[in-house]
Amino acid sequence: MEPTTLQAWQERIDALFGAKDRRRGTAGNFMWFLEEVGELSAALRAETLAEQTLEFADVLAWLMSLANGAGVDLDAALREKYGSGCPRCRLVPCNCAVGDKP
Ligand SMILES: [Zn+2]
């Protein structure tokens, strides 16, 4: 059965790759994550939506691997940081100036 929540997907990524990720270590996993970010960058410039979609999945899966290694629940992290709106102005949508970092 396919996962239906972000937390369940993070658990699925751990079930799929957690043992290998732990053997590889954070530094190696982070390098793979950055490689996938580079592939997403290239896909956004020149590839089809279908190809871009796969690269988004790869980046998110590697981000989940890094979070698993660090013991971070991404669903809880998003709720904590963005659950009440913009972390700076508290509005939805954000009303901060375009140049401000949220
Ligand atoms: Zn804001």
Side-chain angles (χ1 to χ4, degrees):
M1 190 169 144
E2 285 187 5
T4 57
T5 65
L6 185 63
Q7 185 176 38
W9 276 110
Q10 191 173 340
E11 290 167 1
R12 171 63 62 86
I13 292 298
D14 190 59
L16 285 168
F17 306 117
K20 280 198 285 188
D21 289 343
R22 283 183 282 281
R23 284 198 302 274
R24 189 183 301 109
T26 301
N29 293 334
F30 192 74
M31 287 178 63
W32 277 110
F33 169 71
L34 290 182
E35 182 165 315
E36 291 299 342
V37 170
E39 289 179 12
L40 176 60
S41 174
L44 288 171
R45 280 187 288 109
E47 295 180 9
T48 66
L49 178 59
E51 291 164 329
Q52 292 173 4
T53 299
L54 295 175
E55 295 302 339
F56 274 104
D58 287 342
V59 168
L60 186 56
W62 277 106
L63 183 66
M64 289 180 171
S65 284
L66 290 169
N68 286 336
V72 169
D73 176 339
L74 288 171
D75 182 68
L78 286 169
R79 275 188 277 112
E80 181 179 330
K81 181 137 192 191
Y82 299 103
S84 300
C86 169
R88 187 176 208 161
C89 69
R90 296 287 176 203
L91 296 174
V92 178
C94 166
N95 196 35
C96 299
V98 172
D100 289 348
K101 184 181 178 211

